[in-house]
Amino acid sequence: MSETVLSPYVRRAWDHSASSPWSVRPRTLWDYELLYIKEGHLLITIEDIAYEGIPGDLFLFKPRQRHSIRSNSSLRVRQPHIHFDLVEQVDSPQIPVSFITENEMNEQELTWFRPDLLSAGPFALPNRIRLTHPAVMEQMLFDLIHEYHLRLPYFHLQMKSQLLKLLTYLIRERHWSETPQIHAHQSLLMSVRQYITEHSHTDISLDELSTRFHISKYYLTRLFRDAFHMSPIQYHQTVRVEKAKQLIQFTGLTIQSIADQLGYANIHAFSRAFKNKEGVAPSNYRLHEGK
């Protein structure tokens, strides 16, 4: 499956709280649900596999998966959640949230199941996602819920964007966590990436990064490429060109001034780097963007 086909439809987004005891009887969903445990403990059973959910855990229920939920302590439960179709369909606005099992569905309801695109392939996600640092994901989830309830003009478009951002974050986290070398050096890699981003206006070498972060430049290159699918130097070039594009589009600076501001030795070096990345000279890019 290509990410180009993804166009989610957010059916419901809710920040739900309840006093214990609290439960959801066995049911089977037509769509997807992401459920985040903000407070309390839950016992969640998915296809006869029981999980003990604690604050910080995220659960993904997929189409046709039978599951049930109940509180597992005397603590109050808070479980913000969203229901969504991964690919919007013509009937997406008409399909409700299911609270029954597949055996209880009528013939029409049995036609409502969405394809499960998150169980195999490059975007596969497990039913329980236990993030090391859930704060980033939590903020994205609450931003989406807030947008759902505000219902400002074009809110469906905004929710698509926010859900894609959240799913991308989860898929990346899964990719990194399943690569032991990346998982062990994730903090280092993020620091290297931040340093490169903050120094896009200067030349950076692998030797400099190796010395600053106390790591072999060859090992750093391999780790960085595994994590971000490009080398540190390629990332630096990408950041520089992206900043150049912003300056070309949204300022009246000359091409020479932009080259100077981004630390290129001369305008020819800047033009060559820009054309290698974008396929056109900086001046042509400005004309193309209507400047």
Side-chain angles (χ1 to χ4, degrees):
M1 178 185 66
S2 169
E3 62 267 25
T4 58
V5 307
L6 300 184
S7 179
Y9 175 82
V10 178
R11 180 163 289 104
R12 176 174 177 171
W14 212 260
D15 182 11
H16 177 261
S17 297
S19 300
S20 191
W22 173 81
S23 65
V24 174
R25 67 181 289 262
R27 64 174 179 171
T28 308
L29 296 178
W30 296 298
D31 57 1
Y32 291 97
E33 180 184 3
L34 270 175
L35 181 150
Y36 177 64
I37 302 179
K38 175 68 174 174
E39 299 172 10
H41 291 189
L42 295 177
L43 180 64
I44 295 179
T45 304
I46 305 173
E47 297 291 348
D48 300 323
I49 300 175
Y51 302 89
E52 292 190 9
I54 60 175
D57 281 353
L58 185 71
F59 285 87
L60 175 63
F61 306 122
K62 303 171 184 177
R64 290 190 185 275
Q65 283 189 332
R66 187 184 72 259
H67 65 274
S68 62
I69 310 169
R70 68 174 175 84
S71 54
N72 200 26
S73 73
S74 60
L75 299 174
R76 183 175 179 81
V77 172
R78 183 180 179 190
Q79 44 97 19
H81 59 277
I82 57 175
H83 284 267
F84 63 95
D85 291 349
L86 196 56
V87 179
E88 184 171 1
Q89 301 182 33
V90 174
D91 63 350
S92 288
Q94 284 76 50
I95 303 300
V97 173
S98 172
F99 289 95
I100 57 178
T101 65
E102 188 170 355
N103 291 336
E104 299 170 297
M105 295 177 184
N106 60 39
E107 290 186 9
Q108 182 184 21
E109 290 168 337
L110 290 171
T111 68
W112 290 347
F113 284 109
R114 290 8 214 165
D116 180 11
L117 305 175
L118 296 180
S119 288
F123 306 136
L125 289 170
N127 287 120
R128 179 173 67 180
I129 303 169
R130 182 160 281 178
L131 299 170
T132 306
H133 305 290
V136 175
M137 183 284 305
E138 181 179 313
Q139 185 61 56
M140 287 190 285
L141 179 61
F142 278 111
D143 286 345
L144 195 156
I145 292 172
H146 184 65
E147 183 71 30
Y148 176 84
H149 287 283
L150 278 180
R151 294 182 175 266
L152 297 174
Y154 309 107
F155 77 102
H156 276 300
L157 184 61
Q158 178 67 11
M159 288 191 299
K160 283 180 188 289
S161 171
Q162 290 175 320
L163 180 55
L164 284 173
K165 182 179 179 181
L166 193 158
L167 290 173
T168 300
Y169 176 80
L170 296 177
I171 292 166
R172 280 179 176 168
E173 287 289 313
R174 172 182 169 273
H175 167 68
W176 291 334
S177 69
E178 290 187 350
T179 307
Q181 298 92 333
I182 297 176
H183 186 66
H185 295 87
Q186 191 166 349
S187 178
L188 169 68
L189 287 167
M190 294 302 179
S191 296
V192 172
R193 191 176 71 168
Q194 182 178 357
Y195 179 82
I196 293 173
T197 302
E198 292 175 350
H199 291 79
S200 59
H201 59 288
T202 63
D203 287 326
I204 289 179
S205 69
L206 285 174
D207 288 328
E208 175 189 349
L209 295 174
S210 174
T211 301
R212 174 171 289 276
F213 293 99
H214 310 289
I215 184 173
S216 159
K217 62 183 180 182
Y218 305 106
Y219 189 45
L220 172 60
T221 299
R222 192 177 80 184
L223 285 174
F224 203 95
R225 192 181 295 277
D226 286 344
F228 305 118
H229 296 175
M230 65 180 74
S231 72
I233 300 307
Q234 287 171 329
Y235 180 73
H236 180 244
Q237 293 169 344
T238 298
V239 172
R240 274 180 129 177
V241 170
E242 286 302 312
K243 288 196 174 183
K245 286 162 63 177
Q246 293 179 20
L247 293 172
I248 292 170
Q249 292 180 68
F250 303 118
T251 76
L253 292 173
T254 65
I255 301 299
Q256 178 68 64
S257 297
I258 293 172
D260 293 341
Q261 186 168 323
L262 292 173
Y264 285 93
N266 52 61
I267 193 171
H268 303 294
F270 169 60
S271 296
R272 185 167 57 251
F274 193 98
K275 189 170 184 178
N276 286 340
K277 186 69 179 173
E278 294 299 315
V280 296
S283 56
N284 289 345
Y285 188 88
R286 171 165 280 174
L287 291 173
H288 177 69
E289 295 297 328
K291 293 290 185 180

